[in-house]
Amino acid sequence: MTDRGHRRIGRPLIATTAIALLTGTAAYTFGPDARAEQGARGSAAAAKTTAKTGGRTGGKATQARSSAAASCPTSARFPKRQLRGVWIATVRNLDWPSRPGLSRDRQRAEYLRILDNAVKRRLNAVFVQVRPASDALYRSSLEPWSQWLTGTAGRDPGWDPLPFLVEEAHKRGLEFHAWFNPYRAAESAASELPPGHPARSHPDWTVKHEGGLYYNPGLPQVRDWVTRVVTDVVRRYDVDGVHFDDYFYPYPGKGTRFADQAAFKKYGNGMKLADWRRDNVNKLVGQVSAAVREAKPYVKFGISPFGIWRNKKEDPSGSNTSGMSAYDSIYADAKAWIKARSVDYVMPQLYWPRGFSAAAYEELLPWWAGAVKGTGVDLYIGQALYRVGSADTPAWRKAGELPSHLTLNRKYPEVGGDVYFSARYLVSNPLSVLDRIVSQHYQRPALLPLPERFEAKPPAAPRGVRHANGTLSWEARPDARAYAVYRAPAGKTGGAAAAASSACVTADARNLVAIVPASDAPSYAAGGSGAYYVTTLDRLGNESTPAPAR
């Protein structure tokens, strides 16, 4: 999902028929790491849904309602909490802005078009690339303005886009995750770095490798710098999450050794080179995680690793695949992050179709579900929207392939949602695949997942809920991020079982008709018959008890 990310899937599988998987251009283009550019839930689910709906703490009434909800029939077709996101890549103007040098108004209009398409498809999160390569799509005293805004690195675009990007996402009920590439120092080693660029001030931090310029992951100074950059954004902007893609050590290319011998000699402490490199990445992940949680405990931190951790032939605990291994090739050990709980979620980039011999979706999905099971780390799946309709792979020429992935996801309660690469395809809707996904999987809105480490303290329920003249209204609450509106069919509520009944109305999403951002007027055009309920959602995702309309 990085700029290059989504293109990656190609090279990693080159040794195994992966060449049929992707076609080639620069690995940069396709985002969260597919190397695409290069051409590369049942009863268990219901139990998980109930456990994450809020109401896990509180008084006897709340506990009674939770107990009632636990016995309510639910459907995996209507998950109440599900991440539905899209990556918005800025590198090389892949998604936004469409080209450098656009006016502020044009940049804003293009971004709003993406957001409006996300809302149209009932998505609830955006992952926006704010630091493609030690640059900034926001006003920073640490790193220069990105060339993708103005065409020249370091040139001020005349406005700070990030407050606008965040605010407009929130207005539409979309969670905003700031996406960083931690180690890329410049797109090219030949790039002219602007004055004040960290790599210009500290050339000893960098390694030139196969035409690229990278920060050396083995240096403590580099880890401190990346942590400082991320924390600066978290403290100054109202972001909901921090996101890393799969770019850690460089992907295998021409076989050139990454020139980190001096750092290894100084900091290796007797470790094997591969173990030391993985330890460097693990240290960065842990350091960033701790800094983010200290700065703003409610901000989520997650990573979208390459889809194959290790193959079984390399490790008995690996997946039944034969592609490139992230553990061995780019020194990214997602299982270590999960074990340490230094991430709130992992989002493996599973950009292969079902039946693909080197890395089949139906093989990797259960492997990742097993990797997070019982750990408290959430699992979302990176989906290859960019591959739909591509001519090189027969499976992707079928509009039903991507929706079938979501159908398969329902069998694994550990799967908490999907994120699509990337926004340009969200707009173009190849093979009308998004129409299928919405009609088959996103028929209702969904609340955002609630990470296990978050405090489960439900906010106060809305007051003054009224249904009159086709309009549902209520009093705004100062602690609300949004409100969820439910409609129970006529005859499904009331009587002696009213409390249990209202709990069942909100047990899954089948009765969820709208999520109203707190920035909107506290009202909803309630045209259907039946009983209406409104709940409060705080910024963590906690949900109040339902307040019935009078």
Side-chain angles (χ1 to χ4, degrees), residues 310-325:
R310 298 193 88 186
N311 301 294
K312 272 189 176 180
K313 66 181 180 181
E314 299 154 347
D315 188 320
S317 64
S319 54
N320 186 24
T321 51
S322 55
M324 190 203 83
S325 158

Side-chain angles (χ1 to χ4, degrees), residues 157 255 304 327 333 360 424 454 489:
S304 57
Y327 181 95
D333 187 358
R424 68 155 69 174
F454 282 11

